[in-house]
Amino acid sequence: MSITKPRAAQTRRPTRPARPAGRRSGRTRRKDNATAYLMLAPMVGLLGVFVFWPLVYSVYLSLFEINFYKGSTFVGMKFYKYVLADPQFWSSVGKGLYFAALVVPSGLVVALLLASFIKTLGRRSAAFVKTVVYLPAVISVVIASLLFRFMYQDEGVVNWLLGLFGVEPVGWLENADTALPAIAVPGLWLSFGLTTLILLAALLDIPESYYESAQLDGAGFFRCTWSITLPLLKNILLYLTVTGLVVPATGIQQLELPLIMTEGGPVGSTTTPNLFIFFSFRDATPYATSYSLTAALLLFVVLGAISLLIFRFLKSEKSIDG
């Protein structure tokens, strides 16, 4: 038989006073911030070593006339004036913008249509189509350039198909008007696979209840696309537009395709900015290194300005949770 002590005789442990909520939250916040800084430190260190420091050092070197056989000579902003006054540099920037305008918008349209089609398929069919669509992304740019160069020949597949409709063979890569659009086709083919998978993931993230509600109100496919799909894909489309314009594979900085397929010709019609910088570096003049370095830095400024304009006119929005 257990005997309980009287209630008055029971010992009570003294309770500690509760800490202020603000002090506790402040301490937790500082701990979370420290954890976040530790997680970001390796990436910030890598960016500092491989991005920020080379960029700052490149700006410093652009102020000198570099000579590998003699000492460098300080010339200030001399090469910046040369590059800014060079019509060939601005012509190459225009060619790069034209190439990006041909590849990026059409790539987004094709990728969105393919992603919408894959979304309607079953699991096995979707897996097969996704594999086929992504295959061009793993093909070497050199192989793709040589493949399309053979296809554009007078006896190639493209002219053979045109001949079935009675069209005479076209010198796609020998004509200044058709060379850059012809190069844009393999650029589109190489890039739309990854874009399709990104858009497919974004489409699958949109709740089906949105479309069901719209269809109950009588909305069709185009109305749902315009009022639901495109607004909810705005952030993804903004990301793909900016990266498509600035990355070397599809945008203004394209180098491999024009170098292998046309070597910048005919008459400079396919000389993109990176190809112009490459040719400037190979020039036999004693200031070729400084000139090409300055052109690369100015191209960096141009790409940054274009990105700022895109973010200015196409503002991103907060994500919507389903």
Side-chain angles (χ1 to χ4, degrees), residues 154-165:
D154 292 341
E155 298 82 11
V157 176
V158 177
N159 283 320
W160 176 76
L161 291 174
L162 292 177
L164 297 178
F165 300 94

Side-chain angles (χ1 to χ4, degrees), residues 80-91 276 280 291:
Y80 287 91
K81 297 178 181 178
Y82 286 166
V83 176
L84 291 174
D86 191 348
Q88 294 183 359
F89 172 74
W90 294 110
S91 176
F276 170 79
S280 299
Y291 189 89

Side-chain angles (χ1 to χ4, degrees), residues 129-145:
V129 175
K130 285 188 290 185
T131 304
V132 174
V133 167
Y134 189 72
L135 277 179
V138 300
I139 295 177
S140 170
V141 180
V142 177
I143 296 176
S145 301

Side-chain angles (χ1 to χ4, degrees), residues 272-292:
T272 55
N274 275 358
L275 193 56
F276 170 79
I277 295 170
F278 175 72
F279 289 151
S280 299
F281 182 77
R282 292 177 57 189
D283 198 353
T285 56
Y287 54 84
T289 303
S290 300
Y291 189 89
S292 58

Side-chain angles (χ1 to χ4, degrees), residues 107-108 111-112 115 134 191-200 236 240 250:
L108 289 176
L112 183 58
Y134 189 72
S191 62
F192 79 90
L194 180 60
T195 305
T196 300
L197 296 185
I198 294 175
L199 287 175
L200 176 61
I236 301 297
L240 292 175
T250 60

Side-chain angles (χ1 to χ4, degrees), residues 17-302:
R19 295 181 180 178
R23 182 180 177 185
R24 185 183 303 172
S25 61
R27 208 176 263 185
T28 304
R29 190 181 302 112
R30 286 193 296 270
K31 184 178 180 181
D32 293 341
N33 291 340
T35 303
Y37 292 148
L38 288 175
M39 296 177 66
L40 291 174
M43 181 57 65
V44 173
L46 292 174
L47 288 175
V49 173
F50 296 103
V51 177
F52 298 127
W53 168 243
L55 179 61
V56 173
Y57 190 61
S58 298
V59 174
Y60 170 77
L61 290 179
S62 66
L63 304 177
F64 291 82
E65 182 176 335
I66 302 174
N67 194 317
F68 294 105
Y69 304 100
K70 300 179 183 179
S72 301
T73 305
F74 180 79
V75 293
M77 305 294 291
K78 176 181 177 180
F79 287 106
Y80 287 91
K81 297 178 181 178
Y82 286 166
V83 176
L84 291 174
D86 191 348
Q88 294 183 359
F89 172 74
W90 294 110
S91 176
S92 68
V93 173
K95 300 295 189 304
L97 287 171
Y98 182 35
F99 179 86
L102 292 173
V103 174
V104 176
S106 56
L108 289 176
V109 173
V110 172
L112 183 58
L113 293 176
L114 279 173
S116 301
F117 171 70
I118 296 173
K119 183 182 175 182
T120 62
L121 299 177
R123 179 176 299 179
R124 292 185 178 180
S125 300
F128 174 76
V129 175
K130 285 188 290 185
T131 304
V132 174
V133 167
Y134 189 72
L135 277 179
V138 300
I139 295 177
S140 170
V141 180
V142 177
I143 296 176
S145 301
L146 295 176
L147 174 64
F148 276 86
R149 187 172 180 177
F150 286 122
M151 292 173 62
Y152 285 135
Q153 290 181 349
D154 292 341
E155 298 82 11
V157 176
V158 177
N159 283 320
W160 176 76
L161 291 174
L162 292 177
L164 297 178
F165 300 94
V167 181
E168 295 294 328
V170 179
W172 296 99
L173 301 179
E174 290 77 24
N175 191 331
D177 296 329
T178 59
L180 197 59
I183 292 176
V185 174
L188 172 63
W189 182 66
L190 289 168
S191 62
F192 79 90
L194 180 60
T195 305
T196 300
L197 296 185
I198 294 175
L199 287 175
L200 176 61
L203 286 175
L204 294 175
D205 196 43
I206 299 176
E208 288 294 332
S209 58
Y210 293 177
Y211 297 102
E212 294 174 357
S213 300
Q215 290 171 358
L216 290 176
D217 293 336
F221 172 77
F222 293 102
R223 183 63 179 176
C224 291
T225 301
W226 182 260
S227 301
I228 299 176
T229 305
L230 292 180
L232 294 180
L233 292 181
K234 186 176 182 180
N235 293 341
I236 301 297
L237 294 175
L238 176 62
Y239 165 77
L240 292 175
T241 301
V242 173
T243 54
L245 285 173
V246 301
V247 297
T250 60
I252 303 172
Q253 301 186 77
Q254 176 58 246
L255 172 65
E256 294 92 342
L257 289 174
L259 176 62
I260 299 172
M261 297 181 69
T262 61
E263 296 183 358
V267 293
S269 60
T270 59
T271 303
T272 55
N274 275 358
L275 193 56
F276 170 79
I277 295 170
F278 175 72
F279 289 151
S280 299
F281 182 77
R282 292 177 57 189
D283 198 353
T285 56
Y287 54 84
T289 303
S290 300
Y291 189 89
S292 58
L293 176 61
T294 306
L297 291 173
L298 288 176
L299 176 61
F300 173 78
V301 175
V302 171

